[in-house]
């Protein structure tokens, strides 16, 4: 590569830092500037593709990612990024080609192995999905992927054996815990994975009004402070649909504003109540309950037809939602939160579920391993929440 056609290193570092911090507008402007001044340098195109994908502009991301691949075909990450965009556009066969090329260039490329495994699963090629899942050594959020493939293949006894082995070395994995709870109920047989076998039993509700003299004034103040927080429409890789969510690196509870600081204090008090309520339960979820008060918070503002797809919080321990603005249910549970043992890639029609219709000020706590989603609403109004995870040490 001709060094005279390379952007200054500081400029590239600045670009990458802005993208990693979720400063997408600034990153896009800088990436566009770099690609215009140095059109043959692939890095600007690669980051531009990532920014465009993160902000939901899939067709534009496809063009940028393709340019990055053409300019530097030996870069496995560029092929993986292209595969991600193609998959989001529903072009699964083309996405498979891109992931396969990334793995060919870097056989131990975990991200590409994980992505191709999910793609094979979506194509119902479960044996291939299992092979890639077993080859992948990515973090805790992917540990359940081989079990999901085994479930699709009907290999239940092997699932139980693997969960027994995992219970000896990885006792606090949220994704494994979610699947273990599902398969235990489905098969009417407990597994050895005892993180939180019955997560629906650990839902706890309260209301901000029990901590405040004037709920309405407090809620208005919180919403005013949240209006100053940067948000993004339907952030890539998140469950939010038809709504704005605060940027991924912004922790609301590191904000020094008055109402958010007060809200954090209320949550911590309710966590103490929550723990005392369940302290005699023998599962790992309670017996190893974090003594830290390391909270990470974010806000979501849903518009008409807004909702969140089914998901869990792999990085949390205890999760919660505080409702600042709600919508009418209209007799159809619109705007409600639904908890379930079913996951995105595994389900049973008889699995337990629970629907909670919130009111303003309601607080709902639940294990981070419990799947949940929002039921879409038809009212032309905003539904505003603050969500949080209690993060375990380490």
């Amino acid at each position: 590569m001709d060094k005279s056609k390379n952007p200054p290193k500081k400029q590239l570092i600045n670009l990458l830092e802005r993208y990693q911090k979720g400063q997408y507008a600034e990153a896009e402007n800088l990436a566009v500037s770099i690609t215009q001044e140095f059109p043959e340098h692939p890095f600007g195109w690669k980051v531009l593709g990532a920014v465009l994908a993160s902000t939901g502009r899939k067709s534009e991301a496809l063009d940028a990612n393709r340019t990055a691949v053409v300019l530097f075909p030996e870069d496995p990450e560029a092929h993986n990024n292209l595969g991600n965009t193609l998959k989001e556009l529903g072009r699964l066969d083309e996405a498979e080609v891109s992931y396969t090329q990334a793995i060919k260039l870097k056989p131990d490329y975990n991200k590409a192995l994980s992505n191709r495994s999910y793609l094979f699963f979506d194509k119902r090629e479960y044996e291939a999905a299992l092979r890639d899942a077993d080859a992948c050594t990515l973090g805790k959020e992917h540990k359940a992927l081989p079990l999901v493939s085994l479930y699709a293949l009907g290999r239940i006894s092997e699932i139980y054996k693997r969960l027994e082995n995992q219970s000896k070395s990885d006792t606090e994995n949220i994704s494994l815990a979610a699947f273990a709870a599902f398969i235990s109920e489905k098969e009417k047989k407990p597994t050895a994975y005892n993180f939180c076998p019955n997560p629906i039993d650990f839902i706890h509700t309260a209301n901000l009004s029990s901590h405040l003299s004037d709920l309405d004034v407090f809620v208005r103040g919180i919403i005013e402070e949240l209006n100053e927080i940067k948000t993004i429409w339907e952030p890539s890789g998140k469950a939010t649909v038809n709504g704005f969510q605060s940027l991924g690196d912004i922790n609301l509870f590191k904000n020094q504003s008055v109402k958010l600081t007060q809200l954090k204090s209320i949550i911590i008090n309710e966590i103490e109540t929550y723990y005392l309520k369940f302290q005699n339960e023998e599962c790992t979820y309670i017996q190893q309950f974090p003594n830290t008060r390391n909270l990470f918070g974010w806000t979501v503002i849903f518009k008409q037809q807004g909702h969140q797809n089914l998901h869990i919080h792999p990085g949390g321990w205890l999760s919660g939602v505080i409702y600042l603005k709600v919508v009418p249910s209209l007799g159809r549970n619109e705007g409600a939160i639904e908890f379930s043992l079913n996951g995105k890639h595994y389900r049973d029609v008889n699995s337990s579920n629970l629907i909670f219709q919130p009111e303003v000020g309601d607080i709902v706590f639940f294990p981070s391993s419990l799947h949940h989603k929002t039921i879409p609403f038809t009212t032309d109004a905003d539904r505003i929440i603050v969500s949080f995870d209690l993060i375990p040490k380490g």
Side-chain angles (χ1 to χ4, degrees), residues 97-393:
V97 171
S98 291
Y99 291 142
T100 300
Q101 183 59 27
I103 294 165
K104 182 179 179 181
L105 290 166
K106 186 179 179 183
D108 62 348
Y109 190 12
N110 283 319
K111 286 185 179 180
L113 285 165
S114 172
N115 289 333
R116 193 173 68 173
S117 179
Y118 280 113
L119 182 141
F120 281 140
F121 192 96
D122 290 343
K123 294 175 71 175
R124 300 187 177 184
E125 297 176 20
Y126 301 126
E127 289 285 4
L130 178 60
R131 285 195 299 271
D132 275 358
D134 279 338
C136 176
T137 57
L138 267 179
K140 55 189 176 183
E141 68 270 23
H142 300 279
K143 288 289 183 70
L145 187 52
L147 304 180
V148 172
S149 298
L150 288 169
Y151 177 69
L153 291 165
R155 291 157 61 177
I156 305 302
S157 60
E158 188 172 346
I159 290 172
Y160 274 79
K161 289 177 182 176
R162 290 198 183 204
L163 283 171
E164 184 177 1
N165 290 333
Q166 293 282 5
S167 70
K168 298 172 184 176
S169 60
D170 191 6
T171 60
E172 300 173 1
N173 187 292
I174 297 300
S175 296
L176 287 175
F179 184 81
F182 165 81
I183 199 67
S184 176
E185 186 188 67
K186 171 71 170 59
E187 297 298 317
K188 304 295 187 290
K189 176 185 174 183
T191 73
Y193 206 85
N194 193 44
F195 179 83
C196 190
N198 304 297
I200 289 179
D201 294 344
F202 291 87
I203 296 171
H204 169 78
T205 61
N207 193 282
L208 293 173
S209 59
S210 63
H211 300 268
L212 302 164
S213 58
D214 194 325
L215 175 63
D216 291 339
V217 170
F218 181 78
V219 168
R220 284 198 299 271
I222 283 281
I223 291 175
E224 287 177 3
E225 291 183 359
L226 293 177
N227 287 335
E228 303 301 315
I229 302 295
K230 288 185 178 181
T231 61
I232 186 170
W233 178 258
E234 293 187 345
S236 178
K238 302 296 182 181
T240 298
V241 178
N242 266 41
F244 293 93
Q245 185 166 326
S246 51
L247 296 180
D249 69 321
I250 296 177
N251 182 0
L252 296 185
F253 300 125
K254 288 193 174 179
N255 193 301
Q256 300 301 311
S257 57
V258 174
K259 299 297 183 185
L260 284 170
T261 300
Q262 188 177 356
L263 182 62
K264 180 180 180 181
S265 177
I266 291 171
I267 291 171
I268 289 173
N269 287 336
E270 277 296 332
I271 289 174
E272 298 293 344
T273 301
Y274 180 90
Y275 176 72
L276 291 173
K277 178 179 178 179
F278 296 111
Q279 62 180 328
N280 293 324
E281 299 291 334
E282 296 183 355
C283 59
T284 303
Y285 172 64
I286 295 300
Q287 293 305 309
Q288 299 298 324
F289 201 81
N291 56 17
T292 177
R293 291 296 172 257
N294 181 20
L295 297 178
F296 189 94
W298 63 97
T299 184
V300 184
I301 304 164
F302 294 103
K303 300 295 183 178
Q304 189 175 25
Q305 294 296 340
H307 62 280
Q308 285 190 319
N309 292 322
L310 196 65
H311 66 290
I312 57 174
H313 297 188
W317 190 282
L318 166 73
S319 297
V321 187
I322 296 96
Y323 293 90
L324 303 176
K325 193 171 182 182
V326 299
V327 295
S329 71
L330 302 180
R332 300 188 292 266
N333 290 319
E334 292 193 7
I337 184 170
E338 180 175 356
F339 299 98
S340 173
L341 298 186
N342 288 325
K344 179 180 178 182
H345 293 101
Y346 51 90
R347 62 179 296 103
D348 179 73
V349 292
N350 298 315
S351 280
S352 298
N353 74 320
L354 184 147
I355 295 175
F356 178 79
Q357 187 69 52
E359 297 181 358
V360 171
D362 276 345
I363 308 169
V364 184
F365 288 173
F366 52 92
S368 298
S369 60
L370 181 57
H371 282 97
H372 53 286
K373 67 178 182 180
T374 308
I375 297 174
F377 59 92
T378 56
T379 304
D380 186 10
D382 289 352
R383 178 181 180 275
I384 303 176
I385 63 171
V386 166
S387 293
F388 75 89
D389 286 334
L390 172 61
I391 309 294
K393 278 186 177 178

